[in-house]
Amino acid sequence: MTTASLPPLIPREVLLGNPARSSPRLSPDGKKLVYLAPHAGKLSVWAGTIGADDDRLIAHDPLRPIPWVAFRGDGQHVIYVQDRAGDENYHLFQVALSSGETRELTPGEKVRAMPLALDPRFPDQLLFTSNARDARFFDVWRMDLKTQQASLDTENPGDVIGWKNDHAFVVRAAVARSSGGSVLRVRDTAAEPWRELARFSSDDAEPRLIGFSPDGRALDVVTSASANAARLVRYDLRSASTSVLLEDATYDVADVYVDPGTHAPAAAAVLRDRLAWTALDPAFAADLAAIETGGDFAIADASADGRRLLIREQRDVAPDAYVLYDRDAGRAVPLFDSQPALKAAPLAAMQPVSFPARDGLTLHGYLTLPKGVEPRRLPTVLFVHGGPWHRDRWGFSPDVQWLANRGYAVLQINFRGSTGYGKAFRVAGDRQWAGSMRTDLLDARDWAIAEGIADPARFGIFGGSYGGYAVLTALAFTPDAFTCGIDVVGPSNLTTFLESIPPYWETMRQMLHQRIGEDAEFLRAQSPLFRAAQIRTPLLVVQGANDPRVPQRESDQMVEVLRSNGIPVTYVVFENEGHGFADPLNARRFSAVAEAFLQEHLGGRLEPAHEDEQIAPFLR
């Protein structure tokens, strides 16, 4: 590869820095927006009137970006969440649009509170979940937003992992863990007892509650019960009989849009290689056709009457764009691009790929090739997603574009255990973290080499969370397979990882044991820490000091063993981060050191580190 034929370098600050605007939400009347945008380097809360030039800052945290925001039902206040330094103990805050007065709604130490429901028909109420009563379990609390007084609404008996309210703002559905799977419970009113509506096996995974039917007599659920792929199913609350609203033989239903004006599901989407929407309400078919622009799209929000829709347009070679669609006029009006500085950038296309694993199971994924060079024997990065109960999908990815712009082919594979491809595919990953899930990644490497795309002597592996674990296992179990590895917040010892899960994951413990393992010797055999002496390839390890999911000990113990064995390892710890990067400056600092690391070992291009990207203070 001649780097001279590659397009110009896209600066890290442009690719990986703060978006200009993101995560917009629509006011109940459809006339105002609230969104996240930078202020003093941190994503903060801004608001404005659509079509006017009155956007203004209304909330800012000087220490940490704000991750989530939405309108209160009255349209005059905004609710947002924030944690401390990445500890994921989120609290709820309210800010008034008129005055900017901000109040914390859920104070307390080591308490996690998250919004459950806001509704314009109940403008002065908020339903939220909190583990204030018992750190292990999330109850539902109801807050009077005028007085900011909260009361316990629905107590968790100790097994519930998800709640759903009806159109009268009453909590009437719950998903609970049970022996061998999960159970769906419902009740008719807040004063009546809960009853079991349906049971699901562990292979089915937990049902996803979408909402109650317009008459309140049925509940719409996404589940793979009685099927392979997850379907959108309607349960009659009295008879427990079901009717299927949307299904696909192979791929899961990924998204459902419920019209807030009618409370009926208007459309649902199946995520194959690309996202495909189907109108469930015939009147919505024309709207889907009008919204379709050639890329994928999501319905990010809607006005209270459902007549104005906030659409997020997604493409692989352009950052997300937001438009306002008026159903009455049948017309879409552009609002903004999330990263306008990238609109003219030389971004690389993402193409779906598939191939058989060594046991014949078909694997799907995406390949992004650097622009301007022949796709032959390229330096390649296998970019492994986290979860692992997640999946890569088509669309714009800053990390993928950064790697491709530096000259690397980027391969993303949805290995077995990934979601989206039906329960048989997901269950095939049970207890296979270092087994067939790992060999699927090796098969992806071999496929890219056999296709002539990848240079076997310049093949790196990079991932975060489970993806970081996958990096460690790849280097420890097959020391000659990869040229180098980058592990971001990956567990190294599955025993200590499971011992350190947060208290509020307690209801997930049974599922984690089923999918990861429980026997001490088995977990040891699946843990790269105990094979660290076999690692020979250079490794970059990155950790957040406040990570509640993968504590710093997981990285500390791996680095200690590697260094005692003389294995080259660069170790970076960010004191103000948790499970990943919230601060874009930390993301750029990491990317600067990762870019230098990859250039040294794979030979791609390098943008020299800038003054604010110096990594020395974070090296351990």
Side-chain angles (χ1 to χ4, degrees), residues 579-591:
H579 196 64
F581 305 112
D583 189 329
L585 181 54
N586 286 341
R588 287 200 289 115
R589 287 167 174 151
F590 158 70
S591 299

Side-chain angles (χ1 to χ4, degrees), residues 141-312:
W141 292 71
R142 185 180 299 268
M143 178 168 287
D144 182 324
L145 290 168
K146 285 188 173 180
T147 64
Q148 288 157 34
Q149 295 298 308
S151 58
L152 181 61
D153 181 272
T154 309
E155 184 173 315
N156 193 328
D159 58 359
V160 173
I161 58 173
W163 305 96
K164 194 68 180 179
N165 60 284
D166 67 6
H167 311 312
F169 226 48
V170 176
V171 177
R172 287 184 52 212
V175 175
R177 301 275 183 193
S178 69
S179 178
S182 58
V183 58
L184 173 58
R185 298 181 188 137
V186 295
R187 60 182 178 180
D188 295 321
T189 69
E192 295 184 63
W194 292 93
R195 65 180 187 276
E196 181 179 309
L197 184 67
R199 280 192 170 266
F200 306 87
S201 74
S202 57
D203 288 354
D204 292 327
E206 297 74 36
R208 179 156 55 98
L209 305 181
I210 301 302
F212 287 85
S213 61
D215 62 8
R217 298 176 181 175
L219 181 65
D220 296 335
V221 175
V222 173
T223 175
S224 60
S226 303
N228 177 49
R231 309 177 295 176
L232 177 59
V233 177
R234 174 162 290 181
Y235 282 83
D236 182 277
L237 297 184
R238 278 293 159 202
S239 66
S241 62
T242 61
S243 56
V244 177
L245 303 184
L246 184 67
E247 64 182 333
D248 183 275
T250 304
Y251 300 92
D252 296 342
V253 170
D255 200 357
V256 181
Y257 169 65
V258 177
D259 186 333
T262 65
H263 305 298
V270 172
L271 182 55
R272 302 181 182 103
D273 287 337
R274 299 276 301 275
L275 192 66
W277 283 91
T278 297
L280 304 176
D281 176 358
F284 203 71
D287 298 308
L288 286 181
I291 294 168
E292 178 60 55
T293 59
D296 288 357
F297 67 87
I299 303 172
D301 204 5
S303 57
D305 62 5
R307 304 314 297 175
R308 285 187 156 197
L309 308 180
L310 183 61
I311 306 299
R312 184 175 80 248

Side-chain angles (χ1 to χ4, degrees), residues 66-68 79-84 87-94 103-115 126 128-132:
I66 293 172
W68 182 92
I79 306 294
Y80 69 90
V81 304
Q82 183 61 298
D83 72 346
R84 295 181 184 177
D87 65 3
E88 298 188 10
N89 287 320
Y90 292 102
H91 289 199
L92 293 166
F93 296 79
Q94 175 178 263
R103 293 187 179 182
E104 183 174 0
L105 300 176
T106 55
E109 294 296 322
K110 296 183 179 180
V111 172
R112 178 183 170 106
M114 294 295 286
L126 165 68
F128 67 97
T129 60
S130 172
N131 62 344

